[in-house]
Amino acid sequence: MKTNASMNPIKIVILEDSNDYREDLENALQPFSDVEVVGSFESYESAKDALTHGQCPHPDVALIDIQMPEVNGIEATAKLKELLPALDVIMLTTFSDKRNVFDSICAGAMGYLLKTDDIEDIIRGIRIVHEGGSSLNGNIAHMVLNMFNSVAPKKKNHDLDDVELSILRQLAKGLQKKEIASNLGVEESQVHYCVRKVCKKLPVN
C-alpha cells in the first residue's frame, strides 16, 4: 500500500488530444487540494519529451485518453510504464468496448473510467489507484467478469479466488465498494486491492 505521509498532493499528468476537454478536466481537478496537475499534453511524444528532459515532475498518476494521434493511449500506457515503472495509469476515455478495456489492462492500466463519469468519480478513482487499488466502474467490472468467464465457462480455472469473484460480481451489479466491503465484512481498502489483483490476473488469462 502506498502512503502519502508528507500529505503532498497526488501529482497528475493528463494525456488528451482534445484541447477543450483537457482544459475542462484541468479546471475540474483544480478545486481538489489533494491532487495537482503537473503536466498536460496532447500526445505521448510531448509528454515523453517533458518527462525525460526534466520539464515536468515525475507524476504519480496519469489520466490517458485512448484515441490520440500517432501513439494511441494504450500504446502510450505501455511506453510510460517502461519509462516510469511506478506510474499508475487510469484510462479516461469514451470507449467502453471489451477490446479496449482488455488491451488497456494488459498495457498496465489500473483504472478504467469514462469521460461521462462525474468528476467526483474520477477523483475517487485517482485516490484509489494511488493508494494501491484499482478503479473500475460497474459496466467495466461486468465486462471484466465476462472476460474471465469466457476463459473457462465450464470449469473454475480462471484464477480468481472466491473473494475476488464475489467482489467482481457485486461491482458488475452496480454496488459501491463501501457496500461490497460491508457485505463481505472487510475494509473498503481490501476491496480496492482485490480489484487490482483481478486486473493483474486478466492479462495472464
Side-chain angles (χ1 to χ4, degrees), residues 79-132:
K79 290 176 180 291
L80 284 174
K81 290 289 290 182
E82 287 183 8
L83 184 65
L84 302 172
L87 178 68
D88 287 313
V89 174
I90 296 175
M91 307 308 294
L92 183 57
T93 182
T94 58
F95 298 102
S96 59
D97 59 282
K98 182 168 68 175
R99 184 78 259 169
N100 279 307
V101 172
F102 179 79
D103 288 347
S104 296
I105 294 174
C106 284
M110 279 299 149
Y112 199 104
L113 300 173
L114 301 178
K115 291 182 179 180
T116 52
D117 290 333
D118 293 336
I119 187 61
E120 287 80 10
D121 292 327
I122 294 172
I123 283 290
R124 190 178 301 112
I126 291 171
R127 292 168 180 157
I128 288 170
V129 166
H130 181 60
E131 290 169 1

Short mmCIF file of all heavy atoms in Angstrom, two decimals, residues 79-132:
data_model
loop_
_atom_site.label_atom_id
_atom_site.label_comp_id
_atom_site.label_asym_id
_atom_site.label_seq_id
_atom_site.Cartn_x
_atom_site.Cartn_y
_atom_site.Cartn_z
N LYS A 79 4.32 2.38 -22.93
CA LYS A 79 5.58 3.11 -23.06
C LYS A 79 5.89 3.91 -21.79
O LYS A 79 7.03 3.95 -21.32
CB LYS A 79 5.53 4.04 -24.27
CG LYS A 79 5.56 3.32 -25.61
CD LYS A 79 5.40 4.30 -26.76
CE LYS A 79 5.43 3.61 -28.12
NZ LYS A 79 6.76 3.07 -28.45
N LEU A 80 4.86 4.54 -21.22
CA LEU A 80 5.08 5.32 -20.00
C LEU A 80 5.41 4.42 -18.82
O LEU A 80 6.19 4.79 -17.94
CB LEU A 80 3.84 6.16 -19.69
CG LEU A 80 3.65 7.42 -20.55
CD1 LEU A 80 2.32 8.08 -20.24
CD2 LEU A 80 4.80 8.42 -20.32
N LYS A 81 4.82 3.22 -18.79
CA LYS A 81 5.14 2.28 -17.72
C LYS A 81 6.59 1.80 -17.82
O LYS A 81 7.22 1.51 -16.81
CB LYS A 81 4.18 1.09 -17.76
CG LYS A 81 2.75 1.42 -17.37
CD LYS A 81 2.62 1.71 -15.89
CE LYS A 81 2.80 0.47 -15.05
NZ LYS A 81 2.62 0.76 -13.60
N GLU A 82 7.10 1.72 -19.02
CA GLU A 82 8.52 1.38 -19.20
C GLU A 82 9.40 2.52 -18.72
O GLU A 82 10.43 2.32 -18.09
CB GLU A 82 8.81 1.08 -20.68
CG GLU A 82 8.27 -0.25 -21.17
CD GLU A 82 8.67 -0.53 -22.61
OE1 GLU A 82 9.48 0.25 -23.16
OE2 GLU A 82 8.17 -1.50 -23.18
N LEU A 83 8.98 3.75 -19.04
CA LEU A 83 9.75 4.93 -18.68
C LEU A 83 9.68 5.19 -17.17
O LEU A 83 10.69 5.52 -16.54
CB LEU A 83 9.20 6.15 -19.44
CG LEU A 83 9.92 7.47 -19.27
CD1 LEU A 83 11.33 7.39 -19.84
CD2 LEU A 83 9.14 8.59 -19.97
N LEU A 84 8.47 5.03 -16.60
CA LEU A 84 8.24 5.29 -15.18
C LEU A 84 7.49 4.09 -14.58
O LEU A 84 6.26 4.12 -14.49
CB LEU A 84 7.43 6.57 -14.99
CG LEU A 84 8.01 7.87 -15.57
CD1 LEU A 84 6.98 8.99 -15.48
CD2 LEU A 84 9.29 8.26 -14.84
N PRO A 85 8.18 3.06 -14.16
CA PRO A 85 7.51 1.83 -13.69
C PRO A 85 6.56 2.05 -12.53
O PRO A 85 5.59 1.30 -12.38
CB PRO A 85 8.69 0.93 -13.28
CG PRO A 85 9.85 1.43 -14.09
CD PRO A 85 9.65 2.91 -14.20
N ALA A 86 6.81 3.05 -11.69
CA ALA A 86 5.95 3.28 -10.53
C ALA A 86 4.69 4.07 -10.88
O ALA A 86 3.82 4.24 -10.02
CB ALA A 86 6.74 4.02 -9.44
N LEU A 87 4.59 4.53 -12.10
CA LEU A 87 3.45 5.34 -12.51
C LEU A 87 2.18 4.49 -12.53
O LEU A 87 2.16 3.38 -13.05
CB LEU A 87 3.70 5.92 -13.90
CG LEU A 87 2.58 6.77 -14.51
CD1 LEU A 87 2.41 8.08 -13.74
CD2 LEU A 87 2.86 7.05 -15.99
N ASP A 88 1.10 5.04 -11.98
CA ASP A 88 -0.21 4.41 -12.08
C ASP A 88 -1.00 5.08 -13.19
O ASP A 88 -1.03 6.32 -13.27
CB ASP A 88 -0.97 4.53 -10.75
CG ASP A 88 -0.43 3.60 -9.69
OD1 ASP A 88 -0.21 2.42 -10.00
OD2 ASP A 88 -0.22 4.04 -8.55
N VAL A 89 -1.62 4.28 -14.02
CA VAL A 89 -2.34 4.80 -15.18
C VAL A 89 -3.83 4.53 -15.05
O VAL A 89 -4.24 3.43 -14.69
CB VAL A 89 -1.82 4.18 -16.49
CG1 VAL A 89 -2.69 4.61 -17.68
CG2 VAL A 89 -0.37 4.56 -16.73
N ILE A 90 -4.62 5.56 -15.34
CA ILE A 90 -6.07 5.42 -15.45
C ILE A 90 -6.46 5.81 -16.86
O ILE A 90 -6.13 6.90 -17.33
CB ILE A 90 -6.80 6.33 -14.45
CG1 ILE A 90 -6.48 5.92 -13.01
CG2 ILE A 90 -8.31 6.28 -14.69
CD1 ILE A 90 -7.08 6.86 -11.97
N MET A 91 -7.12 4.92 -17.56
CA MET A 91 -7.67 5.27 -18.86
C MET A 91 -8.92 6.10 -18.63
O MET A 91 -9.79 5.73 -17.84
CB MET A 91 -8.02 4.02 -19.67
CG MET A 91 -6.91 3.01 -19.82
SD MET A 91 -5.34 3.68 -20.43
CE MET A 91 -5.79 4.17 -22.10
N LEU A 92 -8.99 7.25 -19.26
CA LEU A 92 -10.15 8.13 -19.16
C LEU A 92 -10.60 8.41 -20.58
O LEU A 92 -10.00 9.21 -21.29
CB LEU A 92 -9.78 9.41 -18.42
CG LEU A 92 -10.91 10.41 -18.16
CD1 LEU A 92 -12.05 9.77 -17.38
CD2 LEU A 92 -10.39 11.64 -17.43
N THR A 93 -11.66 7.74 -21.00
CA THR A 93 -11.96 7.68 -22.41
C THR A 93 -13.46 7.59 -22.67
O THR A 93 -14.25 7.47 -21.73
CB THR A 93 -11.24 6.46 -23.04
OG1 THR A 93 -11.48 6.40 -24.43
CG2 THR A 93 -11.70 5.17 -22.38
N THR A 94 -13.82 7.63 -23.94
CA THR A 94 -15.23 7.44 -24.31
C THR A 94 -15.49 5.99 -24.71
O THR A 94 -16.65 5.60 -24.87
CB THR A 94 -15.60 8.35 -25.51
OG1 THR A 94 -14.73 8.05 -26.61
CG2 THR A 94 -15.45 9.82 -25.14
N PHE A 95 -14.43 5.19 -24.87
CA PHE A 95 -14.58 3.82 -25.36
C PHE A 95 -14.79 2.84 -24.21
O PHE A 95 -14.00 2.80 -23.27
CB PHE A 95 -13.34 3.40 -26.15
CG PHE A 95 -13.11 4.23 -27.38
CD1 PHE A 95 -12.15 5.24 -27.39
CD2 PHE A 95 -13.86 4.03 -28.52
CE1 PHE A 95 -11.94 6.01 -28.52
CE2 PHE A 95 -13.67 4.79 -29.65
CZ PHE A 95 -12.70 5.79 -29.66
N SER A 96 -15.84 2.05 -24.29
CA SER A 96 -16.12 1.07 -23.24
C SER A 96 -16.25 -0.34 -23.81
O SER A 96 -16.84 -1.22 -23.18
CB SER A 96 -17.40 1.44 -22.49
OG SER A 96 -18.50 1.50 -23.38
N ASP A 97 -15.69 -0.58 -25.00
CA ASP A 97 -15.79 -1.91 -25.61
C ASP A 97 -14.74 -2.85 -25.01
O ASP A 97 -13.73 -2.42 -24.46
CB ASP A 97 -15.60 -1.82 -27.12
CG ASP A 97 -14.25 -1.22 -27.48
OD1 ASP A 97 -14.10 0.01 -27.39
OD2 ASP A 97 -13.33 -1.98 -27.84
N LYS A 98 -15.01 -4.13 -25.12
CA LYS A 98 -14.18 -5.16 -24.49
C LYS A 98 -12.73 -5.11 -24.95
O LYS A 98 -11.82 -5.25 -24.15
CB LYS A 98 -14.78 -6.53 -24.77
CG LYS A 98 -14.02 -7.69 -24.13
CD LYS A 98 -14.81 -8.97 -24.19
CE LYS A 98 -14.96 -9.48 -25.59
NZ LYS A 98 -15.63 -10.81 -25.64
N ARG A 99 -12.52 -4.91 -26.23
CA ARG A 99 -11.16 -4.92 -26.77
C ARG A 99 -10.29 -3.83 -26.14
O ARG A 99 -9.16 -4.08 -25.72
CB ARG A 99 -11.21 -4.73 -28.29
CG ARG A 99 -9.86 -4.81 -28.99
CD ARG A 99 -9.42 -6.23 -29.14
NE ARG A 99 -8.43 -6.65 -28.17
CZ ARG A 99 -8.06 -7.90 -27.98
NH1 ARG A 99 -8.59 -8.87 -28.67
NH2 ARG A 99 -7.16 -8.20 -27.08
N ASN A 100 -10.85 -2.62 -26.04
CA ASN A 100 -10.08 -1.51 -25.47
C ASN A 100 -9.84 -1.70 -23.98
O ASN A 100 -8.77 -1.38 -23.47
CB ASN A 100 -10.80 -0.18 -25.74
CG ASN A 100 -10.52 0.36 -27.12
OD1 ASN A 100 -9.38 0.50 -27.53
ND2 ASN A 100 -11.57 0.66 -27.87
N VAL A 101 -10.84 -2.21 -23.27
CA VAL A 101 -10.67 -2.47 -21.84
C VAL A 101 -9.57 -3.50 -21.63
O VAL A 101 -8.64 -3.30 -20.83
CB VAL A 101 -11.99 -2.97 -21.21
CG1 VAL A 101 -11.75 -3.44 -19.78
CG2 VAL A 101 -13.05 -1.87 -21.23
N PHE A 102 -9.65 -4.62 -22.35
CA PHE A 102 -8.67 -5.69 -22.22
C PHE A 102 -7.27 -5.20 -22.56
O PHE A 102 -6.32 -5.42 -21.80
CB PHE A 102 -9.06 -6.85 -23.13
CG PHE A 102 -8.09 -8.00 -23.10
CD1 PHE A 102 -8.11 -8.91 -22.05
CD2 PHE A 102 -7.16 -8.18 -24.11
CE1 PHE A 102 -7.20 -9.97 -22.02
CE2 PHE A 102 -6.26 -9.22 -24.08
CZ PHE A 102 -6.29 -10.12 -23.03
N ASP A 103 -7.13 -4.52 -23.69
CA ASP A 103 -5.81 -4.06 -24.12
C ASP A 103 -5.23 -3.03 -23.15
O ASP A 103 -4.01 -2.99 -22.92
CB ASP A 103 -5.88 -3.46 -25.53
CG ASP A 103 -6.07 -4.53 -26.60
OD1 ASP A 103 -5.91 -5.72 -26.28
OD2 ASP A 103 -6.40 -4.17 -27.75
N SER A 104 -6.08 -2.19 -22.59
CA SER A 104 -5.62 -1.18 -21.63
C SER A 104 -5.07 -1.82 -20.37
O SER A 104 -4.00 -1.45 -19.88
CB SER A 104 -6.76 -0.23 -21.27
OG SER A 104 -7.19 0.51 -22.38
N ILE A 105 -5.80 -2.82 -19.85
CA ILE A 105 -5.34 -3.50 -18.64
C ILE A 105 -4.06 -4.29 -18.91
O ILE A 105 -3.13 -4.30 -18.11
CB ILE A 105 -6.45 -4.40 -18.08
CG1 ILE A 105 -7.64 -3.54 -17.60
CG2 ILE A 105 -5.94 -5.26 -16.92
CD1 ILE A 105 -8.84 -4.33 -17.16
N CYS A 106 -4.00 -4.91 -20.07
CA CYS A 106 -2.79 -5.65 -20.45
C CYS A 106 -1.59 -4.71 -20.57
O CYS A 106 -0.46 -5.11 -20.30
CB CYS A 106 -3.00 -6.38 -21.77
SG CYS A 106 -4.01 -7.87 -21.63
N ALA A 107 -1.84 -3.47 -20.98
CA ALA A 107 -0.75 -2.49 -21.12
C ALA A 107 -0.30 -1.94 -19.78
O ALA A 107 0.76 -1.32 -19.70
CB ALA A 107 -1.20 -1.35 -22.03
N GLY A 108 -1.09 -2.18 -18.73
CA GLY A 108 -0.67 -1.74 -17.41
C GLY A 108 -1.59 -0.77 -16.71
O GLY A 108 -1.27 -0.28 -15.62
N ALA A 109 -2.74 -0.45 -17.31
CA ALA A 109 -3.68 0.47 -16.66
C ALA A 109 -4.29 -0.18 -15.43
O ALA A 109 -4.65 -1.35 -15.46
CB ALA A 109 -4.77 0.89 -17.64
N MET A 110 -4.42 0.58 -14.34
CA MET A 110 -5.03 0.07 -13.12
C MET A 110 -6.36 0.75 -12.83
O MET A 110 -6.93 0.57 -11.75
CB MET A 110 -4.07 0.25 -11.94
CG MET A 110 -3.02 -0.83 -11.88
SD MET A 110 -3.79 -2.46 -11.68
CE MET A 110 -2.61 -3.49 -12.54
N GLY A 111 -6.83 1.51 -13.77
CA GLY A 111 -8.15 2.11 -13.66
C GLY A 111 -8.70 2.32 -15.05
O GLY A 111 -7.94 2.53 -16.01
N TYR A 112 -10.02 2.24 -15.18
CA TYR A 112 -10.64 2.44 -16.48
C TYR A 112 -11.94 3.19 -16.23
O TYR A 112 -12.91 2.62 -15.72
CB TYR A 112 -10.91 1.12 -17.18
CG TYR A 112 -11.13 1.25 -18.68
CD1 TYR A 112 -10.12 0.89 -19.58
CD2 TYR A 112 -12.34 1.74 -19.19
CE1 TYR A 112 -10.32 1.01 -20.94
CE2 TYR A 112 -12.54 1.86 -20.56
CZ TYR A 112 -11.52 1.50 -21.43
OH TYR A 112 -11.71 1.62 -22.79
N LEU A 113 -11.95 4.48 -16.54
CA LEU A 113 -13.10 5.33 -16.30
C LEU A 113 -13.54 5.97 -17.61
O LEU A 113 -12.77 6.05 -18.58
CB LEU A 113 -12.76 6.41 -15.28
CG LEU A 113 -12.31 5.90 -13.89
CD1 LEU A 113 -11.83 7.06 -13.02
CD2 LEU A 113 -13.45 5.16 -13.20
N LEU A 114 -14.77 6.42 -17.61
CA LEU A 114 -15.33 7.03 -18.81
C LEU A 114 -15.46 8.54 -18.64
O LEU A 114 -15.66 9.04 -17.52
CB LEU A 114 -16.70 6.41 -19.12
CG LEU A 114 -16.70 4.89 -19.34
CD1 LEU A 114 -18.13 4.40 -19.58
CD2 LEU A 114 -15.79 4.50 -20.49
N LYS A 115 -15.35 9.25 -19.73
CA LYS A 115 -15.45 10.71 -19.67
C LYS A 115 -16.83 11.17 -19.21
O LYS A 115 -16.98 12.31 -18.78
CB LYS A 115 -15.12 11.31 -21.04
CG LYS A 115 -13.66 11.16 -21.43
CD LYS A 115 -13.38 11.81 -22.78
CE LYS A 115 -11.92 11.67 -23.16
NZ LYS A 115 -11.60 12.30 -24.47
N THR A 116 -17.79 10.29 -19.29
CA THR A 116 -19.14 10.62 -18.81
C THR A 116 -19.26 10.48 -17.29
O THR A 116 -20.27 10.88 -16.71
CB THR A 116 -20.19 9.72 -19.48
OG1 THR A 116 -19.80 8.35 -19.34
CG2 THR A 116 -20.30 10.05 -20.97
N ASP A 117 -18.24 9.89 -16.63
CA ASP A 117 -18.27 9.77 -15.18
C ASP A 117 -18.17 11.15 -14.53
O ASP A 117 -17.52 12.06 -15.06
CB ASP A 117 -17.11 8.89 -14.68
CG ASP A 117 -17.29 7.43 -15.06
OD1 ASP A 117 -18.45 7.01 -15.22
OD2 ASP A 117 -16.27 6.73 -15.19
N ASP A 118 -18.79 11.31 -13.37
CA ASP A 118 -18.71 12.57 -12.63
C ASP A 118 -17.28 12.82 -12.18
O ASP A 118 -16.51 11.88 -11.96
CB ASP A 118 -19.63 12.53 -11.40
CG ASP A 118 -21.11 12.47 -11.78
OD1 ASP A 118 -21.45 12.91 -12.89
OD2 ASP A 118 -21.90 11.98 -10.95
N ILE A 119 -16.94 14.10 -11.99
CA ILE A 119 -15.59 14.44 -11.55
C ILE A 119 -15.31 13.82 -10.18
O ILE A 119 -14.17 13.44 -9.89
CB ILE A 119 -15.39 15.98 -11.50
CG1 ILE A 119 -13.93 16.33 -11.21
CG2 ILE A 119 -16.33 16.62 -10.50
CD1 ILE A 119 -12.94 15.81 -12.24
N GLU A 120 -16.34 13.67 -9.34
CA GLU A 120 -16.13 13.02 -8.04
C GLU A 120 -15.70 11.57 -8.22
O GLU A 120 -14.87 11.06 -7.45
CB GLU A 120 -17.41 13.08 -7.20
CG GLU A 120 -17.75 14.46 -6.64
CD GLU A 120 -18.41 15.36 -7.68
OE1 GLU A 120 -18.77 14.84 -8.77
OE2 GLU A 120 -18.57 16.56 -7.41
N ASP A 121 -16.25 10.89 -9.23
CA ASP A 121 -15.85 9.51 -9.51
C ASP A 121 -14.42 9.45 -10.03
O ASP A 121 -13.67 8.52 -9.72
CB ASP A 121 -16.80 8.88 -10.51
CG ASP A 121 -18.20 8.66 -9.95
OD1 ASP A 121 -18.30 8.40 -8.73
OD2 ASP A 121 -19.17 8.77 -10.71
N ILE A 122 -14.05 10.43 -10.83
CA ILE A 122 -12.68 10.48 -11.36
C ILE A 122 -11.69 10.72 -10.23
O ILE A 122 -10.65 10.06 -10.14
CB ILE A 122 -12.57 11.55 -12.46
CG1 ILE A 122 -13.43 11.15 -13.67
CG2 ILE A 122 -11.12 11.76 -12.89
CD1 ILE A 122 -13.54 12.23 -14.73
N ILE A 123 -12.01 11.67 -9.36
CA ILE A 123 -11.15 11.95 -8.21
C ILE A 123 -11.03 10.72 -7.33
O ILE A 123 -9.94 10.35 -6.86
CB ILE A 123 -11.69 13.15 -7.40
CG1 ILE A 123 -11.36 14.46 -8.11
CG2 ILE A 123 -11.14 13.16 -5.98
CD1 ILE A 123 -9.89 14.83 -8.08
N ARG A 124 -12.15 10.06 -7.09
CA ARG A 124 -12.14 8.85 -6.27
C ARG A 124 -11.25 7.79 -6.91
O ARG A 124 -10.49 7.10 -6.22
CB ARG A 124 -13.57 8.33 -6.10
CG ARG A 124 -13.71 7.20 -5.08
CD ARG A 124 -15.16 6.76 -4.92
NE ARG A 124 -16.01 7.86 -4.50
CZ ARG A 124 -16.96 8.42 -5.26
NH1 ARG A 124 -17.19 7.98 -6.48
NH2 ARG A 124 -17.68 9.41 -4.80
N GLY A 125 -11.35 7.66 -8.24
CA GLY A 125 -10.51 6.70 -8.95
C GLY A 125 -9.03 7.01 -8.81
O GLY A 125 -8.21 6.11 -8.62
N ILE A 126 -8.69 8.29 -8.89
CA ILE A 126 -7.29 8.71 -8.73
C ILE A 126 -6.78 8.32 -7.35
O ILE A 126 -5.69 7.76 -7.20
CB ILE A 126 -7.16 10.23 -8.95
CG1 ILE A 126 -7.41 10.58 -10.42
CG2 ILE A 126 -5.77 10.72 -8.52
CD1 ILE A 126 -7.52 12.07 -10.69
N ARG A 127 -7.57 8.62 -6.34
CA ARG A 127 -7.16 8.30 -4.96
C ARG A 127 -7.00 6.81 -4.75
O ARG A 127 -6.03 6.35 -4.13
CB ARG A 127 -8.19 8.87 -3.98
CG ARG A 127 -8.21 10.40 -3.93
CD ARG A 127 -9.44 10.89 -3.19
NE ARG A 127 -9.49 12.35 -3.13
CZ ARG A 127 -10.61 13.04 -2.95
NH1 ARG A 127 -11.78 12.40 -2.84
NH2 ARG A 127 -10.58 14.36 -2.91
N ILE A 128 -7.96 6.04 -5.26
CA ILE A 128 -7.92 4.58 -5.08
C ILE A 128 -6.68 3.99 -5.73
O ILE A 128 -5.95 3.18 -5.14
CB ILE A 128 -9.19 3.94 -5.66
CG1 ILE A 128 -10.40 4.25 -4.77
CG2 ILE A 128 -9.02 2.42 -5.81
CD1 ILE A 128 -11.73 3.86 -5.39
N VAL A 129 -6.42 4.38 -6.97
CA VAL A 129 -5.27 3.83 -7.70
C VAL A 129 -3.96 4.25 -7.03
O VAL A 129 -3.03 3.45 -6.90
CB VAL A 129 -5.32 4.29 -9.18
CG1 VAL A 129 -4.00 4.05 -9.87
CG2 VAL A 129 -6.43 3.55 -9.92
N HIS A 130 -3.89 5.50 -6.58
CA HIS A 130 -2.66 5.98 -5.93
C HIS A 130 -2.40 5.24 -4.63
O HIS A 130 -1.24 5.06 -4.22
CB HIS A 130 -2.76 7.48 -5.67
CG HIS A 130 -1.54 8.07 -5.03
ND1 HIS A 130 -0.30 8.02 -5.63
CD2 HIS A 130 -1.37 8.71 -3.84
CE1 HIS A 130 0.59 8.60 -4.84
NE2 HIS A 130 -0.03 9.02 -3.75
N GLU A 131 -3.46 4.80 -3.96
CA GLU A 131 -3.32 4.10 -2.69
C GLU A 131 -3.07 2.60 -2.87
O GLU A 131 -2.99 1.86 -1.89
CB GLU A 131 -4.57 4.33 -1.83
CG GLU A 131 -4.69 5.75 -1.32
CD GLU A 131 -6.05 6.05 -0.71
OE1 GLU A 131 -6.90 5.12 -0.67
OE2 GLU A 131 -6.27 7.20 -0.30
N GLY A 132 -2.97 2.17 -4.13
CA GLY A 132 -2.64 0.76 -4.37
C GLY A 132 -3.81 -0.10 -4.78
O GLY A 132 -3.70 -1.32 -4.84
#
